[in-house]
Amino acid sequence: MSEHYSGTHGLQHEEPLVFERAHEESVSIHLPGVEGDLPDDLTSFARREAAGIPGLSEPETVRHFVRLSQWNHGIETGFYPLGSCTMKYNPRVNETLARLPGLAQLHPDQPEHTVQGILALLYELQEWLGEIAGLPHVTLQPAAGAQGELTGLMLIRAALAAKGEGYRTKVLVPDSAHGTNPASASLCGMETVELKSGDDGRMDIDVLKAHLDDDVAALMLTNPNTAGMFESDIVEICRLVHEAGGFVYGDGANLNALVGIAKAGDMGIDCLHINVHKTFSTPHGGGGPGGGPVVVNETLAPYLPVPRIEKGDDGYRLLHDDDQSIGPVLGSIGQSGVLLRAAAYIAAFGREHLHKIAEDAVLNANYVLARLKDAYHVPFPGLCKHECLLTDEIQNRHGIKTLDIAKRLIDLGFHPMTVYFPLIVHGAMLIEPTETESKETLDAFCEAMLEIAAASEAGDTEDMHAAPLLPIRSRLDETGAARKPILVWTEEES
Amino acid sequence: MSEHYSGTHGLQHEEPLVFERAHEESVSIHLPGVEGDLPDDLTSFARREAAGIPGLSEPETVRHFVRLSQWNHGIETGFYPLGSCTMKYNPRVNETLARLPGLAQLHPDQPEHTVQGILALLYELQEWLGEIAGLPHVTLQPAAGAQGELTGLMLIRAALAAKGEGYRTKVLVPDSAHGTNPASASLCGMETVELKSGDDGRMDIDVLKAHLDDDVAALMLTNPNTAGMFESDIVEICRLVHEAGGFVYGDGANLNALVGIAKAGDMGIDCLHINVHKTFSTPHGGGGPGGGPVVVNETLAPYLPVPRIEKGDDGYRLLHDDDQSIGPVLGSIGQSGVLLRAAAYIAAFGREHLHKIAEDAVLNANYVLARLKDAYHVPFPGLCKHECLLTDEIQNRHGIKTLDIAKRLIDLGFHPMTVYFPLIVHGAMLIEPTETESKETLDAFCEAMLEIAAASEAGDTEDMHAAPLLPIRSRLDETGAARKPILVWTEEES
Amino acid sequence: MRFLPHTERDRSRMLETIGVSGMRDLFADIPADLHIEPGSLDMPDALHEAGIIRKFTQAAEQNRHAGNTRCFLGGGTYHHFVPAVVDYVIGRGEFLTAYTPYQPEISQGTLQALFEFQTMIARLLGMEVCNASMYDAATSVAEAALMARRVTRRERVVLAGSVNPRYRTVTHNYLSRISGSSVDVPCSGFATDVDAVVEAIDGETACVIVQYPDFYGSVYDLASVRAACDAAGALMVVAFSDATAFALIEAPGSLGADICVGSGQALGIPMGYGGPQLGLFACKKKHVRQMPGRVCGMTHDARDRRGFVLTLSTREQHIRREKATSNICSNQGLMCTAAAAYMSLMGDAGLATVARRSAAALSRLVSGLPDHVRAASGPRFNETVLSFADGDSRDHFLAGAEGCDIFAGIPLERIDPKAEACHLLVATTEMIEAEDIADYHAALEAVR
Amino acid sequence: MRFLPHTERDRSRMLETIGVSGMRDLFADIPADLHIEPGSLDMPDALHEAGIIRKFTQAAEQNRHAGNTRCFLGGGTYHHFVPAVVDYVIGRGEFLTAYTPYQPEISQGTLQALFEFQTMIARLLGMEVCNASMYDAATSVAEAALMARRVTRRERVVLAGSVNPRYRTVTHNYLSRISGSSVDVPCSGFATDVDAVVEAIDGETACVIVQYPDFYGSVYDLASVRAACDAAGALMVVAFSDATAFALIEAPGSLGADICVGSGQALGIPMGYGGPQLGLFACKKKHVRQMPGRVCGMTHDARDRRGFVLTLSTREQHIRREKATSNICSNQGLMCTAAAAYMSLMGDAGLATVARRSAAALSRLVSGLPDHVRAASGPRFNETVLSFADGDSRDHFLAGAEGCDIFAGIPLERIDPKAEACHLLVATTEMIEAEDIADYHAALEAVR
Ligand SMILES: Cc1ncc(COP(=O)(O)O)c(C=O)c1O
Ligand SMILES: Cc1ncc(COP(=O)(O)O)c(C=O)c1O
């Protein structure tokens, strides 16, 4: 192992499934509450056969999950440069705060005068998000970015309907867009039209113009886009869409490049979702939870979902009913625990430091790009923003694919970048370092990438095809898994 | 790897020293407090050169220590059968409780009326420990078992002095005793006389008698002893010592075998320390902190250290002064945070379950003994208590030593047992499973031990001499380390 | 700034490598008039960690919470006990700070936990397969309706009026922008009107959605609904709000559910003022390719060792884009791990105890009611409706109870805007002790 | 019982393997009359986890703590800020639930952390080597005296009277049962009487123990003490109670300390009502084989990779038994890891800020005192003595301040029984804000 990278090594245990650990009987757990038999009138409904939930003792449970945890790479254990995912450090103090009984143990239907503290924090977050985006009206309800998209499109449809233009249902989506954009459009009953990106990886204004007609409800656009490029024509783009009677929906997944630098509202964007689990550092948790607040301008504000947090003379309250509102998109006011962590992240930076998030994020991406641009093909040269896009074009000549590079990185101690996304280039490798990584880590990663490129050049590719060799598992049979899916464990599978 | 044991594998990173990670300047951390320069009258005392403490950012610090943590075996990651150490599960809820601001953020010199809650908990713990040991007078002050020993011997000296027998300074200590016993005696200004154990690993009454004279201050004895054997003659032993004018000091490190089964006080023991980090499950923390409360009978009670927690009509208070007291042995009332965890462990078992600690602990040790007794030499056959003692006598014939067995266990996924202690047998392997291990784990461990024995028998010993092969480091050069000690890092060492 | 590792010297060296002269040059592609002055946002100054702790602690202290009150609130969120172990497990950085397990070789921890979760949930619900989470129960119900439409290629969705109004509103909201209709079937007496539901099922019906136990806590026979679905070729979707129920009463799968959806919050997740919640989604195996959301499958690695991967991703947005079964991407992964740890600790026996005590507490509460309050009739699990003479007497009681540290129930109209303002939705869990019920009764007596 | 994994069936199978018929048989070697009836202890019944949480939470709520008061208490324990990261690190099971690193191959985490700790502490104190912890400052001082006796083969120990009385009492206590004498040198004006200390050093003296800054916070020149030690062949032992001081004022090592001992509690460890604390112990390298306690050393493994081990164990009780340098075995290992994490986060700059603000707060406090209170004169770090006209006026003020959520100081006689009952020992840290000092002054004015 070179001195540059950490590699991976061993002190981890094989661990069976929890079902294989289970005893014949579950270990008795001592619980509070009212002793009592099954109430009489429920006996005829009683469950006949036990479900088969293990019931391990506490020591066994802890050891089981601690061992499992050690099979994961996390941002706390290593670099995690997944493009479009903004895997940054998750402050530990935020975990403590979100667990304060006075914040975590609140029922969503407590009388509002008993939850003024949390409402104040959430209300303040709304204001901060509105200010950062330059779009002052906010809903915290959407549970993640994708739901934010759905919410935003619903708002746009509501505004169009109010204008008597309910017939507009076409949504323009660049071919570089994330899959959730078209999927959200469909869910909202709209048709997606894909816009081919220009040769520079940016939106092609002519292509856009060609699609702007009376059916257009909205353009959904990500800025910087998923190739990491800022859409420099953004003002013109928004103007054109507005002129054509449509709205501009901003996918805020890449907000990390812009915090404190430029505002979506100033660009002409009408509506933006913010993935707080990206830009504002709430932990990804192996898939979620996230949070996808939506910020909008004056025009869309009347339609925001209920319940809404309002500030009155006698404190904060929840507005549950509003005729113009599109109604709720979730069964609660939002992912409160996640939102509190986002508020804590923003508070730690504050006015004077918030722009440094974007500065260091963009600095890091450009640094990686600068160090790798000779060894890897850069499809869209020039400045990138918070992430940089490479392809495997050069390595392909030696039979090395993006996947091989990714898996080899694992053996060198790094989580791979996002691979094969965006779809607009062949063999994409999208690298997003985020602002919380040190130069030392970036250098180590670049050394690893350069070593892979050199090895590929030298035909020294055996390790790469077999990679990863060091983790607890080597490449997994994903095809087999999909062909004959085994989604639950049964004694026969063992 | 057999299906029986987990082995160890890899997803762990090499990680440099924190000094090697450091930047030229430290990253600025934002702190509270009163802004201000160095007060004038301190300028002449100002430090001239910075110490050279790294100053990493928070993301770097977390990753550094998380990676280091993964290089450790802990009770949460696997079986830890260190004899005499009682490595049992440390309940997670106790960690939460000990961190409650109302318990953790108390200054030891707050007025007593502002700390009634914690005093109540600690007072209750005193009562519980006294009841469990049958020795009702308690000090929570000693910081660990060894300090408990010192404290106990001080009490004994005080009681002897009060009787005008201050000349008694001889302490009888079986040769199976833990090293702290003679070391504590020396520290207390007493002379140790070592008693040779009998052939059955127990105290030899004749040897004892031969040493009982007018100089004897105390017998220090561990029961069950460090060979895991109950001193069945305990009542007679105590009687003899008392008759000779001495006291019996009990080393309570092995209390786990007796909780709720039998009381030290009933046996005639005058004074006992309790390692709460063993019997009552406070985490060992890679070396400490521990807690070594001392429980004593009526005779020794007047001399207990101050401050003492007393219960009065108007609540609890600390008694700081008492003429008869030996005075404080620590700068505070004790390791409060540790003691609270112990109280929580006891509370979870309560009256009806406490004896199950000892029952399952003893069951587990005897089960392991039963499974291994044909493959390994058992120096003292018969029932054991909470731990069982084997030796490498059989394996020695094939050139395999206790150390090799221990290191091989590591590769099979287990922490080794205590090795080469007690000193009364050659190549000791002292195995203490504790009550919180499952039969499944014990079986896996026994399989591993049997496989090692079989491999040794078959001369298949290569792996054993080279072991461990799987962890992040192989055998370390301990001799070199001691010969030319490098105890701090300097740039030249790198 | 303590989260940013660079020193100024690092920054200048990096800028040099990039070949630009200053930080602002990195943003040269952003039109100048879009740039805002650094530090010009209208925001408070940065807070140090101690200040943030102070701020949040003070806010927390302004709230009253389930730790220092007796909480009889339900309506989809329940104050069950959460063992400290659960929180420790999901607080470990390796679970907490991992992304969606796209690289399975270094994500086996999350993946095995998800597989265990899926298995346990499927078993608890009596269903064949289960995904690795939706946002919450309300969106799970909506997604179930959408899935039923895909499976049956029909567009009409029938919802029992006794389904939690929040689930229904979100479902109607999700369905209202696409073709087809969704209808609510009125309920009666704070219970499901099974006959009316059966009546509403027709040959166009993609699915009927019932809640079991229903929104009002009522437990009832689903057989006729199942039969009507069979007759009409519709799917039966069973929703629920407290998953512990199925350790006690028959699981929806055994009652014939084609899709079973609801909340997993009861399984080790704090109430959290509404989130993060956990939406559960289970269905019959034959429909699995129409299921929304992430799912983990068992497979093996190149050395033939058992391992786990995300699978069936051709259903998902990142592959199928506008044709995906759902737009969901980030989900509630960590909450699945929490639920898995919770269920491992509890086991069948522990879950049954939780459910039995929750039900026993309700029985006890109801059986001791003074006669000026009426409880809804019929079998109930751990939730029911109490009716007062009028809104004033109810609100008077609520205020009095609050004074005794009791959150005595949710005014029904808060969740169900159509309800008269004199009812309380009341729920119990194992966190309610006999003494708390006595105090509840006393508070009722006090306003008699 | 949730901590015990066995089912009854497991137990019977195991008993069978052992070859006994019942659990009681396993205790047959214990004389029958010693057996007590299972369940007969006079103890409360078992509490479930929710009950334990309730019990401890209620107890915690009866206490007032530094989180909701302003704490001006010192005397060896200080309310410095502890970043959440520190607590997370030491809460990770791999650090928390490991034993002393006897098997270095699977304990490199603890060992490297200890090595980093030793290095950082040595650097902070300006000393050459450092061990991996003593129980607390008081026992560290006692062990330093014992070590100095071994090094010099002399028996007389001189303690400045300005050493924390608790450290002195424990030290006298440790020394009183072995031959040799230990003497206290009176101090004057709440500061160290350097001349008297120098005076007390003679040719029999093993060491002189001074505290720096002393118990009263006073900072003074150690040069003459060092010179006197050199002249007499005695060791100079420097004790301290707030290790952050040495980010600001010259380190004891640079002032010539042979042994430097004190408290590491200020370095990331909560006050914890007295424990767990952290005793620091550093010395010159040439004396290392007389040092007490565990120590970690750098070495390499069989494949020549850098690694760490516990070393110099031939000094210790488990090898040397009655001839060991100390009886210490379990120590404060986890607190070393906490201190290492704390110092990594702080760095030179952060520690200097902590120290500077602690001192600045004291200056501000003292400079604004009304004239009915007198502060001790001379340079002070973050602690001083305030004197009142009499005990009543002091106690009156203390009570008033407490009413304003201020713990205004420790009555000096509580720690130093010989002191008159009209003084307050007052300490400040970076947790004290300007506003808190204003409130302190206001409280003083209020009782004028
Ligand atoms: C560009 C982009 N848009 C939308 C999303 C969807 O956001 P979420 O996962 O929060 O639903 C993502 C998430 O990866 C994304 O990268
Ligand atoms: C038998 C015995 N006595 C005494 C001790 C010393 O206890 P402590 O480490 O708590 O000082 C131990 C610790 O290992 C022990 O096993």
Side-chain angles (χ1 to χ4, degrees), chain B residues 31 56 72 109 113 364 473, chain D residues 6 110 306 344 357 402:
Chain B
L31 290 161
L56 300 184
N72 269 3
D109 289 300
H113 67 267
N364 287 354
R473 288 293 176 274
Chain D
H6 295 330
T110 291
R306 178 169 74 189
S344 299
R357 295 199 182 162
E402 206 184 294

Side-chain angles (χ1 to χ4, degrees), chain B residues 84 144-146 149 178 180 222 226 251 253 273 275 277-278, chain D residues 99 329-330:
Chain B
S84 209
E149 296 168 17
H178 192 260
T180 48
T222 313
T226 64
D251 177 335
H273 79 253
N275 309 60
H277 46 302
K278 300 181 196 260
Chain D
Y99 200 74
C329 178
S330 288

Side-chain angles (χ1 to χ4, degrees), chain A residues 84 144-146 149 178 180 222 226 251 253 273 275 277-278, chain C residues 99 329-330:
Chain A
S84 210
E149 296 168 16
H178 192 260
T180 49
T222 313
T226 64
D251 177 334
H273 79 254
N275 308 62
H277 46 302
K278 301 183 196 258
Chain C
Y99 200 74
C329 177
S330 289

Side-chain angles (χ1 to χ4, degrees), chain B residues 437-458:
Chain B
E437 294 297 335
S438 67
K439 176 169 182 298
E440 192 184 359
T441 298
L442 302 181
D443 281 331
F445 174 76
C446 291
E447 294 299 335
M449 285 293 285
L450 294 173
E451 183 181 296
I452 292 172
S456 151
E457 206 68 40

Side-chain angles (χ1 to χ4, degrees), chain A residues 403-404 407 464-465 467-468 474-477, chain C residues 105 300-302:
Chain A
L403 187 73
D404 302 316
K407 298 300 182 192
M464 266 181 258
H465 292 298
S474 56
R475 288 195 203 185
L476 289 136
D477 180 5
Chain C
E105 301 87 351
H300 49 84
D301 78 353

Side-chain angles (χ1 to χ4, degrees), chain A residues 72-95:
Chain A
N72 268 2
H73 185 99
I75 193 73
E76 283 189 358
T77 60
F79 190 43
Y80 218 131
L82 274 179
S84 210
C85 299
T86 317
M87 291 297 287
K88 60 175 75 174
Y89 169 65
N90 307 140
R92 271 290 153 188
V93 67
N94 299 358
E95 295 306 306

